[in-house]
Amino acid sequence: MKVKNQEILVKFNEVNTPYELDEILYQFHKNINQLNNSYYLKESEDPLIYFIEYSNPEELINKLKNNHEITTVVPVTCVLSNLNYIIATITRKIRHKIRHEDTLNVTCYMEKYDNNRTIKLKHEIIRKLDESLGLPLDTVDPMWNINIFVIGEITAINIKRSKKNRNKFSDYC
């Protein structure tokens, strides 16, 4: 039976020198090697962002959340940085789980210097998701939070469903 490892996006804190990053990565490898499962660490075009393939992502995420050298650690699905691939992946992951009263929020993370491209991409993704799913945008209390990390040729997608109860009688319980 083939087991598909899930990917985790790990973003390290900003550093001043390449030596500092090497030291952080050495300690990171040392900590992960203590776990029983095997892993595969992949570099990205951003020197502070790495992807890890790991068979038990929740275990690893819980372990890494305590690391003060890491700013972001989330489970992701990676696709090519193509709008059609991004929309297809999001739609495939949530289309059978949504209800007509659900709402969503889309957050895009890109290179720091390209804020205009980030805004354009976010609007395009929202427009395409509205066409395919018909879910309204809600930035305050959405049912679905979609985080998109565009890192060069690879885009990492993290989708989280809110823990709030969708039952109309849940306010009375």
Side-chain angles (χ1 to χ4, degrees), residues 106-145:
V106 177
T107 308
C108 294
Y109 303 93
M110 295 179 85
E111 293 86 16
K112 301 172 217 166
Y113 57 86
D114 203 352
N115 193 34
N116 193 26
R117 183 174 170 216
T118 304
I119 293 168
K120 285 180 183 178
L121 178 67
K122 181 178 177 178
H123 288 298
E124 191 65 24
I125 289 171
I126 290 170
R127 187 181 67 76
K128 293 273 192 179
L129 285 175
D130 187 42
E131 287 175 6
S132 63
L133 300 174
L135 296 180
L137 191 64
D138 180 2
T139 57
V140 178
D141 190 22
M143 180 59 72
W144 297 94
N145 277 306

Side-chain angles (χ1 to χ4, degrees), residues 4-10 42 49-53 57 61 72-79 89 93 147-149 151 154-159:
K4 174 148 174 45
N5 289 340
Q6 297 182 354
E7 292 183 281
I8 301 167
L9 178 138
V10 177
K42 298 186 282 186
I49 296 178
Y50 288 81
F51 297 104
I52 302 173
E53 285 185 14
I61 289 170
T72 305
V73 55
V74 292
V76 295
T77 301
C78 292
V79 297
T89 302
K93 287 188 151 294
N147 299 300
I148 301 168
F149 302 86
I151 304 132
I154 300 293
T155 296
I157 302 168
N158 170 263
I159 301 173

Side-chain angles (χ1 to χ4, degrees), residues 16 20 45 48 64 73 93 96 111 127 145 154 173:
N16 296 326
E20 289 179 57
E45 292 183 27
L48 299 175
L64 295 178
V73 55
K93 287 188 151 294
H96 297 296
E111 293 86 16
R127 187 181 67 76
N145 277 306
I154 300 293
C173 296

